[in-house]
Amino acid sequence: MGTRVGIILLSGTLDKAMPAFMLGTTAAAMGMEVGIFFSFYGLTVIHKEKLKNLKVSPIGNPAMPMPVPVPQILTVMPGMMDFATNMMKKMMKQHKIPSIEELVQQAIDLDVKLYPCQTAMQLFGFKKEDLIEGVEEPVGAATFLNFVNKADKPIVLNF
Amino acid sequence: MGTRVGIILLSGTLDKAMPAFMLGTTAAAMGMEVGIFFSFYGLTVIHKEKLKNLKVSPIGNPAMPMPVPVPQILTVMPGMMDFATNMMKKMMKQHKIPSIEELVQQAIDLDVKLYPCQTAMQLFGFKKEDLIEGVEEPVGAATFLNFVNKADKPIVLNF
Amino acid sequence: MGTRVGIILLSGTLDKAMPAFMLGTTAAAMGMEVGIFFSFYGLTVIHKEKLKNLKVSPIGNPAMPMPVPVPQILTVMPGMMDFATNMMKKMMKQHKIPSIEELVQQAIDLDVKLYPCQTAMQLFGFKKEDLIEGVEEPVGAATFLNFVNKADKPIVLNF
């Protein structure tokens, strides 16, 4: 059963969710079977309300390009995270990179399986109806590992 | 030699160590051979004293659930990391998720191999007797890669 | 075609770039084919000027060894990131661990393929001549996934 790509998304920030979905949709478009397992904070990426408000974190990221050099002390100031998020979204729009909402929809259209982690659902008190349309039933880590392990060539990435 | 799961743990925070061990013990319980390579800050997770004091980092994590919304500036205030760590531990206990100490013991019981990185041991000045019982002798990255590469289907995760 | 190791580097900090290159050069020295895909902030690691100024981030990293315990609030103070970076570089030099510049050169000498991500190049406005000598032409994620997928045993790591 060829190559299967399993992606584990543990982070709820745009700077992790974007590359996870860009790699996932690319692999799916190349004909690989792809499944994404959303656990811990990653669950927010398939949460109806929270998906719209994902943010970039400028804190502790000295490599982040800023219009002017910003001392690290400023990166924790109120408003800085929104500023960095807006700047990043604007840069991505200018370069015609799809938004995270568009990437999630592309993934569903390409038949990428989106698996919510059962344990994390309980931990955060999320219900199935809190999640976006098109995701699978919540599963445990064993189901995800089994999905990946059925392939001749399993590739696993975690963000 | 079927599937082997190799996990590289480079982080010393609870929010990385927990999923690493949850996935590792799940894979081992499914019958896969599992080895974890502890390098850089990850080494603290198998350090006798430090294992008891692993913390969650609330900084730069806008997706972290908090009882009330917390401006990023507050996440660096003294006491905030302990607060977040205690809240997370309480949530996990309520949902009967094992503690990190229990997960490490489960891993050893399931014959998961715990490999301390030789270079990181030297870098941090740790001795073998500083580490918990049940870990392997310190090895280099080549030994770990060799462990993984002996499988027909190697799966590698890094945290 | 044996084992191929694909490394995705999305971070521009020393604490991610160092282990990525240490694992990459080790795998190459063991005879595996290795390719590194530099996307998002990871692109700074093969940028001529920026490579010289990579930093360690002490923020939100309670596991980082410090000469004296440092409250998290201090980790965002001006100068703290430089202090942590210098301390780490000194520790590595003492233990004869190669610098990141040396590791990048070793990788090139061992025929590790360094793939700049085309989309990230556009996003950050980098040109091919801004990058160090010895890197491949910028490619998309599909080319990288294809490189990895050609192996019998693909191993993918992301930092």
Side-chain angles (χ1 to χ4, degrees):
Chain A
M1 198 172 341
T3 305
R4 269 191 180 175
V5 177
I7 295 172
I8 301 171
L9 187 53
L10 298 169
S11 309
T13 55
L14 267 186
D15 32 310
K16 297 290 182 172
M18 287 292 298
F21 272 91
M22 288 168 88
L23 282 160
T25 52
T26 302
M30 290 167 75
M32 302 176 189
E33 282 183 272
V34 182
I36 310 182
F37 185 61
F38 299 85
S39 191
F40 284 76
Y41 313 124
L43 212 49
T44 57
V45 179
I46 49 171
H47 186 284
K48 264 178 202 163
E49 298 309 317
K50 295 179 198 293
L51 169 59
K52 297 173 200 157
N53 293 302
L54 300 184
K55 294 196 190 307
V56 163
S57 172
I59 301 172
N61 184 355
M64 179 158 190
M66 287 296 224
V68 291
V70 173
Q72 282 294 310
I73 182 76
L74 286 188
T75 64
V76 291
M77 290 295 163
M80 206 56 184
M81 186 168 283
D82 288 331
F83 173 74
T85 303
N86 289 337
M87 206 190 71
M88 177 58 79
K89 284 190 174 178
K90 210 176 133 189
M91 276 171 76
M92 297 209 281
K93 204 166 181 177
Q94 272 176 0
H95 290 90
K96 305 205 185 342
I97 297 176
S99 68
I100 185 66
E101 290 94 332
E102 290 167 320
L103 282 172
V104 171
Q105 191 54 53
Q106 276 182 23
I108 293 171
D109 295 344
L110 285 162
D111 203 28
V112 171
K113 303 291 178 216
L114 307 182
Y115 296 110
C117 168
Q118 215 162 27
T119 309
M121 294 281 287
Q122 283 168 16
L123 197 61
F124 292 165
F126 289 178
K127 298 195 195 71
K128 179 79 196 284
E129 58 263 32
D130 296 331
L131 304 183
I132 58 169
E133 301 283 312
V135 302
E136 307 295 307
E137 287 299 313
V139 299
T143 304
F144 173 74
L145 286 171
N146 208 37
F147 165 84
V148 175
N149 194 38
K150 276 208 184 114
D152 296 324
K153 293 197 257 180
I155 291 178
V156 180
L157 292 166
N158 59 316
F159 290 90
Chain B
M1 197 174 339
T3 305
R4 269 192 180 175
V5 177
I7 295 173
I8 302 170
L9 186 53
L10 299 169
S11 308
T13 56
L14 268 186
D15 32 309
K16 298 290 183 174
M18 287 292 298
F21 272 90
M22 289 170 87
L23 282 159
T25 52
T26 302
M30 292 167 72
M32 302 175 188
E33 283 183 273
V34 181
I36 310 183
F37 185 62
F38 300 84
S39 192
F40 284 76
Y41 312 125
L43 211 48
T44 58
V45 179
I46 49 171
H47 185 283
K48 264 179 202 161
E49 298 308 317
K50 295 179 198 292
L51 169 59
K52 298 172 201 157
N53 293 300
L54 300 185
K55 293 193 190 309
V56 163
S57 172
I59 300 173
N61 184 355
M64 179 158 191
M66 286 298 222
V68 291
V70 173
Q72 283 295 309
I73 181 78
L74 287 187
T75 65
V76 290
M77 290 297 162
M80 206 58 184
M81 186 168 283
D82 287 331
F83 173 75
T85 303
N86 289 337
M87 205 190 71
M88 176 59 79
K89 284 189 174 177
K90 210 176 132 189
M91 277 170 75
M92 298 208 281
K93 205 166 181 177
Q94 272 176 358
H95 291 90
K96 306 206 184 339
I97 297 176
S99 69
I100 185 67
E101 290 94 333
E102 290 167 320
L103 283 171
V104 170
Q105 192 53 53
Q106 276 183 22
I108 293 170
D109 294 344
L110 285 161
D111 202 28
V112 171
K113 303 289 179 215
L114 307 182
Y115 297 109
C117 169
Q118 215 162 29
T119 309
M121 294 281 286
Q122 285 169 13
L123 197 59
F124 292 165
F126 289 178
K127 298 195 195 70
K128 179 76 196 287
E129 57 264 33
D130 297 330
L131 304 184
I132 58 169
E133 302 284 312
V135 303
E136 307 295 308
E137 288 299 312
V139 299
T143 303
F144 172 75
L145 285 171
N146 208 36
F147 166 83
V148 175
N149 194 38
K150 276 207 183 112
D152 295 323
K153 294 198 258 181
I155 291 178
V156 180
L157 292 166
N158 59 316
F159 290 90
Chain C
M1 196 172 340
T3 305
R4 270 192 180 175
V5 177
I7 295 172
I8 302 171
L9 186 53
L10 299 169
S11 308
T13 56
L14 267 185
D15 32 311
K16 297 290 183 174
M18 288 291 299
F21 271 90
M22 287 169 88
L23 282 159
T25 52
T26 302
M30 292 168 72
M32 301 176 189
E33 283 183 272
V34 182
I36 309 182
F37 185 61
F38 299 84
S39 191
F40 284 76
Y41 312 125
L43 211 48
T44 58
V45 179
I46 46 171
H47 186 283
K48 263 179 203 163
E49 297 308 317
K50 295 179 198 291
L51 169 59
K52 297 174 200 156
N53 293 302
L54 299 185
K55 294 194 190 306
V56 164
S57 172
I59 300 172
N61 184 357
M64 180 157 190
M66 287 297 224
V68 291
V70 173
Q72 283 295 309
I73 182 78
L74 286 187
T75 63
V76 292
M77 289 297 162
M80 206 58 183
M81 185 168 283
D82 287 332
F83 172 75
T85 303
N86 289 338
M87 206 190 69
M88 176 60 79
K89 283 190 175 178
K90 211 175 133 189
M91 276 171 74
M92 297 207 283
K93 204 167 181 175
Q94 271 176 0
H95 290 91
K96 306 206 185 338
I97 297 175
S99 68
I100 185 66
E101 289 94 334
E102 289 167 320
L103 282 172
V104 170
Q105 191 54 51
Q106 277 183 22
I108 293 170
D109 294 344
L110 284 161
D111 202 27
V112 171
K113 303 291 179 214
L114 307 181
Y115 297 110
C117 168
Q118 215 163 27
T119 309
M121 294 281 287
Q122 284 168 15
L123 198 59
F124 292 164
F126 289 177
K127 297 194 196 72
K128 178 78 195 286
E129 58 264 32
D130 297 331
L131 305 182
I132 58 170
E133 302 284 312
V135 303
E136 307 295 306
E137 287 298 312
V139 300
T143 303
F144 172 74
L145 285 171
N146 208 36
F147 165 84
V148 176
N149 194 37
K150 276 208 184 113
D152 295 323
K153 293 198 258 181
I155 290 178
V156 181
L157 292 166
N158 59 316
F159 291 89

